[in-house]
Amino acid sequence: MKRLIALVLCAACLCASAASAATAAPSIGGKAAHTVTVEMGAGVSADVVFAQGSVSKDQSAAELLRAAAARSNLLAACSGGTFNVSGAAKLDGYGNVPCCYASVVKNGALVNGGGEGVYLGFTADGRALIDVTEATLRVGFSGREIAVDGVNKYYPDKADAALLFTPEAGCDLPVPASAKAAKIVNGRVSAVLSSGKMACAPGTYYFVCGKDRLSQLPAVGASVSFATAFSDSAWSGVTTAVSCGPWLLHNGNAAPAESPYSYLSGTVSPDAVGSRTFAAVLSDGSLMLGTCTASARQLVVYLLSLHARDAMLLDGGASSLLSASGSVLTSTDRRLNHILCVYGAAPKAVLTEQKLTVNGAAKQAEIYNIDGSNYFKLRDVAALLTGTPSQFSVGYDSARNTVTVRTGSAYTPQAGDLQTGTDRSETAVVSAQRVEINGRAADLTAYNIGGNNFFKLRELGAALNFTVGYEEATRTITIHSR
């Protein structure tokens, strides 16, 4: 399906409320690079999209990008934090899986890792932050709070560990030896396990205490809450974050060499040239995401020339990925555990009392206007064209999740078709609905509005052989069958 990606190149602007972004191909360290700069602000948000929704799975970059684009107005996407490549060293409990190493916050909740590191974070009001901070998840019950040592991290031999496993774990895990796990379903402890498997399921969490902390385990029936917080008060509004590194810039200067997270700390040579993915907050608050083949020092020189304020490296090497405007600027053949995505504000779909004629006869239909274009349900169009040379039928193949259209066959209007209404405005979400016309895939722009799929009228006309016009004098949409 065609994706409506709200990415603006250079100074072009889709609508007043949409965020803008720009692509560029600068030279960094004497070699060509790619960058995407996103204008941050109200309505701009971010998400970490996991392979199959799990910290222990992987997918191709193309599959992850398709999943990311199912949400409206994807501005840019790139590599996130590091992960264990499938088939690499075994991780206790998980086995040989591509498990996420990064600390990740989604929807305001820590879903992987935790602890101190250099993070890229996004606030609810559309700001991007890069700094060293600490993310902690606390489990609350019976008037007390317990800070966990890790989320979805498996430490079977750590007697003093307190751990939390969430639905994002993505697989069943054994209860660690000598530990106990409180099974929490829909916010309440349903059982305490001392052996067996922690079965992964939606709405199900496991709070695990090592043998030295068993007294901190909640009892069956206890009501349990979870709260995520950062050590830096400036990060209190952060809803999405991912850790990686090294740290490149802090407050417009090279990251301090004494920090263990700095590119100057000696963990990796600052002059080693390699494939890099980076994020930077510029002086005006914009976010730059980029890929290059350069050393950390060369990248710092480039970013300082732009007067960037803060910067860090994301997962690079064979995992380097950068996408914008529906195009992949830097590709990878490696299967990835997750990607970082930045979105503009979702457009509003406005229900309009637009006048409409079909072959000269006045008609009514549910018409939404999105960014100046009119959108109709397929079934509404079929009902409108019943009895005309362009008549067609609409069906649904549930096995393939595909809407099917056959031309030359009459459509019988269904109950509820052609309903109209006034004074409604709803959020429009890019739809991944597949459509086939006479057995062939059709490339149609689609939005899901209020649970129904709406398609751009002019594209439907081109695909189904009817013409669409507009009479300015009477402000009427005109449809003519051919």
Side-chain angles (χ1 to χ4, degrees):
M1 298 293 295
K2 183 183 294 180
R3 305 282 190 249
L4 288 186
I5 309 298
L7 179 80
V8 185
L9 299 179
C10 301
C13 184
L14 287 179
C15 65
S17 62
S20 63
T23 59
S27 175
I28 300 177
K31 295 184 179 181
H34 293 286
T35 64
V36 180
T37 303
V38 178
E39 179 185 339
M40 302 301 293
V44 180
S45 61
D47 192 17
V48 177
V49 176
F50 283 103
Q52 303 175 55
S54 169
V55 302
S56 61
K57 301 286 192 300
D58 62 10
Q59 286 181 303
S60 68
E63 289 173 315
L64 280 167
L65 289 171
R66 278 196 296 272
R71 175 178 161 187
S72 292
N73 292 347
L74 177 65
L75 298 176
C78 68
S79 314
T82 57
F83 63 96
N84 181 52
V85 178
S86 183
K90 178 181 178 181
L91 297 178
D92 284 319
Y94 285 98
N96 290 328
V97 297
C99 219
C100 181
Y101 285 154
S103 295
V104 176
V105 172
K106 278 175 64 76
N107 300 318
L110 186 65
V111 298
N112 198 74
E116 189 180 77
V118 54
Y119 287 79
L120 167 60
F122 298 84
T123 63
D125 59 358
R127 292 177 293 119
L129 305 173
I130 294 175
D131 206 345
V132 171
T133 186
E134 182 177 9
T136 304
L137 187 143
R138 294 179 178 273
V139 179
F141 59 93
S142 304
R144 64 194 305 189
E145 278 194 340
I146 307 296
V148 303
D149 298 306
V151 178
N152 290 325
K153 294 298 182 183
Y154 197 87
Y155 303 120
D157 301 321
K158 195 171 181 181
D160 61 347
L163 309 171
L164 183 71
F165 294 92
T166 77
E168 287 84 6
C171 63
D172 297 347
L173 295 165
V175 177
S178 302
K180 290 186 178 181
K183 181 179 181 180
I184 304 163
V185 180
N186 297 324
R188 192 171 294 276
V189 178
S190 63
V192 173
L193 311 177
S194 57
S195 62
K197 291 281 189 179
M198 298 182 288
C200 185
T204 302
Y205 297 75
Y206 295 88
F207 178 47
V208 177
C209 288
K211 64 179 183 180
D212 292 346
R213 297 183 70 171
L214 294 180
S215 62
Q216 297 180 339
L217 204 67
V220 172
S223 179
V224 180
S225 64
F226 308 112
T228 296
F230 289 91
S231 58
D232 188 338
S233 60
W235 285 61
S236 61
V238 167
T239 58
T240 301
V242 61
S243 70
C244 200
W247 196 15
L248 300 176
L249 295 181
H250 178 55
N251 289 335
N253 297 296
E258 62 272 18
S259 169
Y261 305 106
S262 172
Y263 76 100
L264 295 169
S265 67
T267 305
V268 177
S269 170
D271 297 305
V273 175
S275 297
R276 313 289 184 192
T277 305
F278 64 91
V281 177
L282 306 183
S283 57
D284 64 355
S286 296
L287 174 71
M288 175 180 283
L289 301 174
T291 52
C292 62
T293 301
S295 69
R297 195 185 305 275
Q298 289 170 332
L299 183 51
V300 165
V301 169
Y302 167 73
L303 292 173
L304 287 175
S305 74
L306 300 180
H307 304 289
R309 192 168 67 218
D310 302 293
M312 65 184 287
L313 289 180
L314 296 169
D315 196 12
S319 299
S320 293
L321 174 72
L322 183 64
S323 178
S325 192
S327 298
V328 177
L329 304 178
T330 301
S331 62
T332 176
D333 292 328
R334 172 175 284 179
R335 294 174 67 85
L336 303 176
N337 172 254
H338 65 275
I339 58 175
L340 173 68
C341 304
V342 182
Y343 295 89
K348 286 294 183 182
V350 179
L351 187 65
T352 173
E353 286 291 298
Q354 182 70 62
K355 293 179 181 179
L356 172 68
T357 65
V358 177
N359 293 330
K363 300 286 185 178
Q364 283 189 312
E366 190 174 18
I367 308 170
Y368 276 96
N369 189 280
I370 304 172
D371 292 339
S373 295
N374 293 307
Y375 287 75
F376 284 62
K377 295 179 188 176
L378 266 173
R379 291 189 184 278
D380 281 5
V381 173
L384 290 168
L385 293 174
T386 296
T388 74
S390 295
Q391 63 188 208
F392 59 92
S393 62
V394 179
Y396 182 71
D397 184 341
S398 58
R400 297 185 298 126
N401 189 30
T402 301
V403 174
T404 59
V405 179
R406 293 286 176 184
T407 59
S409 55
Y411 173 76
T412 302
Q414 306 295 309
D417 283 349
L418 302 177
Q419 291 183 346
T420 61
T422 58
D423 300 326
R424 267 199 359 241
S425 178
E426 299 191 38
T427 299
V429 179
V430 172
S431 173
Q433 180 63 67
R434 292 187 291 271
V435 179
E436 285 184 355
I437 299 176
N438 295 328
R440 301 186 65 179
D443 186 24
L444 300 174
T445 302
Y447 277 106
N448 188 286
I449 305 168
N452 293 300
N453 291 305
F454 285 76
F455 298 85
K456 187 179 285 188
L457 182 61
R458 289 192 181 277
E459 292 181 356
L460 287 175
L464 296 168
N465 200 36
F466 62 83
T467 60
V468 177
Y470 185 75
E471 292 181 353
E472 187 68 40
T474 60
R475 297 184 178 180
T476 301
I477 299 170
T478 61
I479 294 175
H480 292 278
S481 58
R482 297 173 184 172

